[in-house]
Amino acid sequence: MNIVTLTLNPALDKSSGIHRLVPEQKMRCSEVHTDAGGGGINVSKGIRKLGGNSTAVFPSGGNNGLVLEKLLQDAGIVVETLRLENETRENFSVTETSTNLQYRFNMPGMEMTTEMADACLDMVARLNPEYLVASGSLPPGLPVDYYEKIAALAHRIGARCIIDTSGEPLRAAADEGMYLLKPNLAELSALVGEEKLSIDQVDDAALEIIGKGMCEVVVVSLGPQGALLVSRDGFEHIPAPTVPKKSTVGAGDSMVSGMVWSLANGKSLREVVQTGVACGSAATMNPGTELFHAEDVFRLLHWIQTYGERYRIKDF
Ligand SMILES: Nc1ncnc2c1ncn2[C@@H]1O[C@H](COP(=O)(O)OP(=O)(O)OP(=O)(O)O)[C@@H](O)[C@H]1O
Ligand SMILES: [Mg+2]
């Protein structure tokens, strides 16, 4: 299994709790919990939880970068970093325990030059991956079409590329083409130039982007409704089980981790998406930025494979 994840805009996620948010007063927060964050990094964490391995490539800045590296290494993840002097950003989230509402403060990422990002791409090329997952936002300083270069690199080194980002960076990557795209409804709508697609338009939109050569496989994630798998062979709806939802943060990254892990294990596309949905749904059962517990994933996967058929959306 040779999977490499690339995170150009990593973060150190700090979270804490407070009874009630009040302005102009000192607020006593509970103990701070520190997590490694950023799209590709989350995918590496998910793969590890499932028992798989990947290498996480990212720029690592200053002390925060060192903390990030240590958190990942302690979790058993191989890291390859471009060491930089500036500090990797720190995001902060507070959960107001009286209302259970979460307030997320995301800082701008560490400024990167094209030369720095290219150095990360050189690391990826040297690792010669079978699967390359590039995920998350672009840091300030990089051209908006930088993801196109990542997709082109994957083509050049013969890696199957999965890109999970949004807006203009996603469009640029799609122009180059990749193996698998995992847009949510809003991202798919933007890719086909629509304001907001309705559920019964999703299959045609996905086929359109395959027809344009943007990717071979589209997995449209539909939140609590699961996902739609679309390839040249047809389409299939994979429903999500109903679970006690705590926080949907990290659901998308968890889903991608389950899919790439399953792909690297040679599973069928149906099982790949079933596993992705199980990981995404399992992630919603945990609070804050916590991803999923593997035992929840395997239980939910069993449910999907046993009862999923009955809950298919009939609109497609
Ligand atoms: N409320 C929910 N109940 C059950 N499963 C859910 C729920 N929300 C998300 N999921 C699961 O997580 C997967 C991915 O979620 P979603 O479609 O929201 O992705 P996303 O918009 O890319 O998420 P993110 O905001 O993390 O990037 C879904 O396909 C589904 O399996
Ligand atoms: Mg997403």
Side-chain angles (χ1 to χ4, degrees), residues 63 90 109 111-112 132 144 150 158 223 230 261 270 300 312:
N63 275 325
E90 216 175 89
E111 185 94 18
M112 292 266 287
L132 170 61
V144 71
I150 301 174
V230 187
W261 174 75
R270 168 185 286 170
L300 297 182
R312 289 230 172 110

Side-chain angles (χ1 to χ4, degrees), residues 94-112:
V94 193
T95 302
E96 193 184 46
T97 49
S98 53
T99 57
N100 213 17
L101 292 174
Q102 192 190 41
Y103 295 84
R104 289 188 240 161
F105 303 89
N106 274 35
M107 308 302 153
M110 176 177 59
E111 185 94 18
M112 292 266 287

